[in-house]
Coordinates of all heavy atoms in Angstrom, one line a residue:
Y1 N 71.5 112.7 131.1 CA 71.1 113.7 132.0 C 72.0 113.7 133.2 O 72.7 112.7 133.4 CB 69.7 113.5 132.5 CG 68.6 113.3 131.4 CD1 68.1 112.1 131.1 CD2 68.3 114.4 130.6 CE1 67.1 112.0 130.1 CE2 67.4 114.3 129.6 CZ 66.8 113.0 129.3 OH 65.9 112.9 128.3
D2 N 72.1 114.8 134.0 CA 72.9 114.9 135.1 C 72.1 115.2 136.4 O 71.0 115.7 136.4 CB 74.0 115.9 134.9 CG 73.5 117.3 134.7 OD1 73.1 118.0 135.7 OD2 73.4 117.7 133.6
F3 N 72.7 114.8 137.6 CA 72.2 115.1 138.9 C 73.4 115.1 139.8 O 74.5 114.7 139.5 CB 71.1 114.1 139.3 CG 71.6 112.8 139.6 CD1 72.0 112.5 140.9 CD2 71.6 111.7 138.6 CE1 72.5 111.1 141.2 CE2 72.2 110.5 138.9 CZ 72.5 110.2 140.2
R4 N 73.1 115.6 141.0 CA 74.1 115.7 142.1 C 73.5 115.2 143.4 O 72.4 115.6 143.8 CB 74.6 117.2 142.2 CG 75.8 117.4 143.2 CD 76.2 118.8 143.2 NE 77.5 119.0 143.9 CZ 77.6 119.3 145.2 NH1 76.4 119.3 146.0 NH2 78.8 119.4 145.8
T5 N 74.3 114.3 144.0 CA 73.8 113.8 145.3 C 74.0 114.9 146.3 O 74.8 115.8 146.2 CB 74.7 112.6 145.7 OG1 76.1 112.9 145.6 CG2 74.4 111.3 144.9
F6 N 73.1 114.8 147.4 CA 73.1 115.8 148.4 C 74.4 115.8 149.2 O 75.1 114.7 149.3 CB 71.9 115.6 149.3 CG 70.5 115.9 148.7 CD1 69.5 115.0 149.0 CD2 70.4 116.9 147.8 CE1 68.2 115.3 148.3 CE2 69.2 117.2 147.2 CZ 68.1 116.4 147.5
D7 N 74.7 116.9 149.8 CA 76.1 117.1 150.5 C 75.8 117.0 152.1 O 75.1 117.8 152.6 CB 76.6 118.4 150.1 CG 78.0 118.6 150.8 OD1 78.5 117.8 151.5 OD2 78.6 119.7 150.4
P8 N 76.4 116.0 152.7 CA 76.1 115.9 154.2 C 76.8 117.0 155.0 O 76.5 117.2 156.1 CB 76.8 114.6 154.6 CG 77.7 114.3 153.4 CD 77.2 114.9 152.2
K9 N 77.7 117.8 154.3 CA 78.3 118.9 154.9 C 77.8 120.3 154.6 O 78.3 121.3 154.8 CB 79.9 118.9 154.6 CG 80.6 117.6 155.1 CD 82.1 117.7 154.8 CE 82.8 116.4 155.2 NZ 84.2 116.5 154.8
A10 N 76.7 120.2 153.8 CA 76.1 121.5 153.3 C 75.6 122.4 154.4 O 75.0 122.0 155.4 CB 74.8 121.1 152.4
R11 N 76.0 123.7 154.3 CA 75.7 124.7 155.2 C 74.3 125.3 154.9 O 73.7 126.0 155.7 CB 76.7 125.8 155.3 CG 78.1 125.3 155.7 CD 78.2 124.9 157.1 NE 78.0 126.1 157.9 CZ 78.9 126.9 158.4 NH1 80.2 126.8 157.9 NH2 78.6 127.9 159.2
E12 N 73.8 125.1 153.7 CA 72.6 125.7 153.3 C 71.9 124.8 152.2 O 72.6 124.0 151.5 CB 72.8 127.1 152.7 CG 73.7 127.1 151.4 CD 73.9 128.6 151.0 OE1 74.4 129.4 151.7 OE2 73.6 128.9 149.8
V13 N 70.6 125.0 152.1 CA 69.8 124.3 151.1 C 68.7 125.2 150.7 O 68.1 126.0 151.4 CB 69.3 123.0 151.6 CG1 68.3 123.2 152.7 CG2 68.6 122.2 150.5
T14 N 68.3 125.1 149.3 CA 67.1 125.9 148.8 C 66.2 124.9 148.1 O 66.6 124.1 147.3 CB 67.7 127.0 147.8 OG1 68.6 127.8 148.4 CG2 66.5 127.7 147.2
F15 N 64.9 125.1 148.4 CA 63.9 124.3 147.7 C 62.6 125.1 147.5 O 62.4 126.1 148.1 CB 63.7 123.0 148.6 CG 63.2 123.1 150.0 CD1 61.9 123.3 150.3 CD2 64.2 123.1 151.0 CE1 61.5 123.5 151.6 CE2 63.7 123.2 152.4 CZ 62.4 123.4 152.6
V16 N 61.8 124.5 146.7 CA 60.5 125.1 146.3 C 59.3 124.2 146.9 O 59.5 123.0 146.9 CB 60.4 125.2 144.8 CG1 58.8 125.6 144.5 CG2 61.3 126.3 144.3
V17 N 58.3 124.8 147.4 CA 57.2 124.1 147.9 C 55.9 124.6 147.2 O 55.7 125.8 147.1 CB 56.9 124.3 149.4 CG1 55.7 123.5 149.9 CG2 58.2 124.0 150.2
A18 N 55.1 123.7 146.6 CA 53.9 124.0 145.9 C 52.8 123.1 146.5 O 53.0 121.9 146.8 CB 54.0 123.9 144.5
N19 N 51.5 123.6 146.6 CA 50.4 122.8 147.1 C 49.1 123.2 146.4 O 49.0 124.2 145.8 CB 50.3 123.1 148.6 CG 50.2 124.5 149.0 OD1 51.2 125.2 149.2 ND2 48.9 124.9 149.2
D20 N 48.2 122.3 146.6 CA 46.8 122.5 146.2 C 46.7 122.9 144.7 O 46.0 123.9 144.3 CB 46.1 123.6 147.1 CG 45.9 123.1 148.5 OD1 45.0 122.3 148.8 OD2 46.7 123.5 149.4
I21 N 47.3 122.1 143.9 CA 47.3 122.4 142.4 C 46.0 121.8 141.8 O 45.5 122.2 140.8 CB 48.6 121.8 141.8 CG1 49.8 122.6 142.3 CG2 48.5 121.8 140.3 CD1 51.1 122.0 141.9
H22 N 45.5 120.7 142.3 CA 44.2 120.1 141.9 C 44.2 119.8 140.5 O 43.2 120.3 139.7 CB 43.1 120.9 142.4 CG 42.8 120.9 143.9 ND1 42.2 119.8 144.5 CD2 43.2 121.7 144.9 CE1 42.2 120.0 145.8 NE2 42.8 121.2 146.1
D23 N 45.1 119.0 139.9 CA 45.1 118.6 138.5 C 45.3 119.6 137.5 O 45.1 119.4 136.3 CB 43.7 117.8 138.2 CG 43.7 116.4 139.0 OD1 44.6 115.6 138.8 OD2 42.7 116.3 139.7
N24 N 45.6 120.9 137.9 CA 45.8 121.9 136.9 C 47.3 122.1 136.6 O 48.1 122.8 137.3 CB 45.4 123.3 137.6 CG 45.3 124.4 136.6 OD1 46.0 124.4 135.6 ND2 44.4 125.3 136.9
A25 N 47.7 121.4 135.5 CA 49.1 121.4 135.1 C 49.6 122.7 134.7 O 50.8 123.0 135.0 CB 49.3 120.4 133.9

């Protein structure tokens, strides 16, 4: 598998936030 370490010079970042799933896969 592959991954990429974070960039200390990054000008931007995108992420997802999810909450209150309550065991509902």
